[in-house]
Amino acid sequence: MLDFMDYVQNAFYEASHWNRNNSYALLDFPTPLGVRLHISSLSTPHFASSYTLASTGHLSGSLSYLYTSLPLPSLATATRSLPLPTFTPTSYRQLQRLRPPDPAWWWETWHAGRRIDTRDALLYGRLYLPHSTLEALYLRRWTPTRQLKISAVSDARLPNGGSVLALLAQDHGKWSAEYMYSTDSALLGVRGLYNFGPDPRDRDAGGGVIVPSPVMHELAGDEKTTVPAEPGEPVSRFSAGAEVYYGLLNKSGGMSTGIRFATLAAHTGFPYTMTVTLNPLMGNLSSSYSVRAGELLSLSSRFDFNVYSYESDVVMGMELWKLRDRDTGGGGVGGEDSKVLGAVGKREGEREESAGGDIAGCLKARIDQRGSVGLLWEGRVKELVYSCGTSIDLRGGKDLITGVGLEVQYSS
């Protein structure tokens, strides 16, 4: 389940026209453990707060606050009216056409012959109780192609009392790069991604140019003004990326490289994505294949292999969305859930409704070669969004069920 503060942070990225998908990174979804309750609110267009209470054998919780200088007046936050996929994003994310960076003059504000524009920033803090662990985040958009992100954690149980991570990101559409430094082992690193094919900064490259609207955020119902695509629009994208890092204190480093092939929204067949990553120093090779087999079904598999130890691992997973009849009641959602799923895999700007009614929930499952099974169900009860899951060990050990969790979220 997507955390409320992550949802607001994603809205900040969209409103400031930053592409979160144009980077060299991999993601996995977790399953809940114990019981966890989230209560959140966006009290003003600039300020959000969230409170968490958890029980995992002992009682714990957290307080978090977020401030953004960029107002988000159109951001819907009430769980009773938001589409369910807003809090449970689809595992298969359809890549869209690359968006060119904003022209530099778009960011200029002049008054009486002087520039008075400022740069958008986001501040976030979270205090974990009862251990008094503090997390902080500072995010600032410097230019249309550059963003600075500084995150820190303070905890007496950590070496040196905590650590700070600074990351400077550049995104030019055709390519992106990230430069990082961490006080933990004085780690330095750089990673980048290059997209083969037309350059989105060239209007004559085909595929059209997306013109950002005044307020853009991640809700699928929002529209983006798009210059009509020309014939011969690319239907797929091939990307290559790499990362290198080195610890100055422990005198050790590492690197990895990867490639990705994915279909775009203009592809007329079923969407799919293939990736291969390699860590030559550790000898790890990983490959994955994901496909949206139907409007409500996604399948994925991953194979890991170590060329030095010959150890391997296979993981398979699926995601299935369940619809309910409109006659049974949609809790006031009014079909927005199905519109979100209908937009997945469609050409940008098109919004189609799924047949069969609103979304009742989503089932996610995975299994690996060691017999470890994970099951997760995400749904809605009136004004609450919930996620419940379990971990099962099929190897015939002492415990068949190794973990059970329930997570409930409410926001206004």
Side-chain angles (χ1 to χ4, degrees), residues 26 28 275 277 283-288 301-307 309-315 368-370:
L26 297 176
D28 285 310
T275 63
T277 58
N284 292 327
L285 176 66
S286 178
S287 62
S288 65
S301 63
R302 182 175 61 201
F303 175 72
D304 299 321
F305 180 74
N306 189 283
V307 298
S309 63
Y310 296 104
E311 293 182 353
S312 61
D313 189 23
V314 177
V315 181
D368 59 26
Q369 65 180 24
R370 295 183 296 272

Side-chain angles (χ1 to χ4, degrees), residues 373-391:
V373 178
L375 298 175
L376 181 68
W377 172 262
E378 297 172 311
R380 184 203 304 271
V381 176
K382 295 187 180 298
E383 298 185 3
L384 300 178
V385 177
Y386 70 92
S387 173
C388 57
T390 182
S391 298

Side-chain angles (χ1 to χ4, degrees), residues 43-209:
S43 54
T44 72
H46 295 272
F47 185 78
S49 59
S50 181
Y51 310 95
T52 300
L53 184 64
S55 176
T56 56
H58 61 277
L59 195 62
S60 61
S62 67
L63 310 173
S64 55
Y65 299 94
L66 182 147
Y67 170 80
T68 169
S69 62
L70 178 64
L72 304 172
S74 301
L75 181 63
T77 58
T79 50
R80 65 177 180 272
S81 58
L82 280 177
L84 184 60
T86 301
F87 294 97
T88 59
T90 56
S91 298
Y92 188 91
R93 191 177 184 90
Q94 176 68 64
L95 294 181
Q96 303 293 339
R97 289 172 292 175
L98 292 173
R99 183 169 59 198
D102 295 342
W105 59 268
W106 281 18
W107 288 41
E108 297 179 2
T109 303
W110 294 82
H111 178 70
R114 296 178 55 191
R115 284 191 60 177
I116 60 173
D117 52 277
T118 59
R119 294 296 175 254
D120 297 320
L122 181 144
L123 297 174
Y124 168 73
R126 186 170 189 174
L127 177 64
Y128 292 89
L129 301 172
H131 298 294
S132 298
T133 301
L134 180 63
E135 287 184 354
L137 171 67
Y138 173 75
L139 192 64
R140 186 177 183 86
R141 288 299 310 274
W142 274 357
T143 68
T145 60
R146 190 171 301 165
Q147 175 178 271
L148 175 65
K149 181 178 181 180
I150 300 177
S151 56
V153 58
S154 176
D155 192 327
R157 298 169 296 176
L158 297 177
N160 302 318
S163 62
V164 178
L165 173 65
L167 189 146
L168 178 63
Q170 287 184 301
D171 184 5
H172 296 268
K174 181 72 171 179
W175 62 274
S176 65
E178 296 178 344
Y179 313 93
M180 66 191 77
Y181 172 77
S182 174
T183 58
D184 187 11
S185 302
L187 185 68
L188 292 171
V190 59
R191 59 188 177 190
L193 179 73
Y194 182 83
N195 299 298
F196 295 88
D199 193 331
R201 295 169 293 182
D202 185 2
R203 289 181 178 269
D204 296 329
V209 177

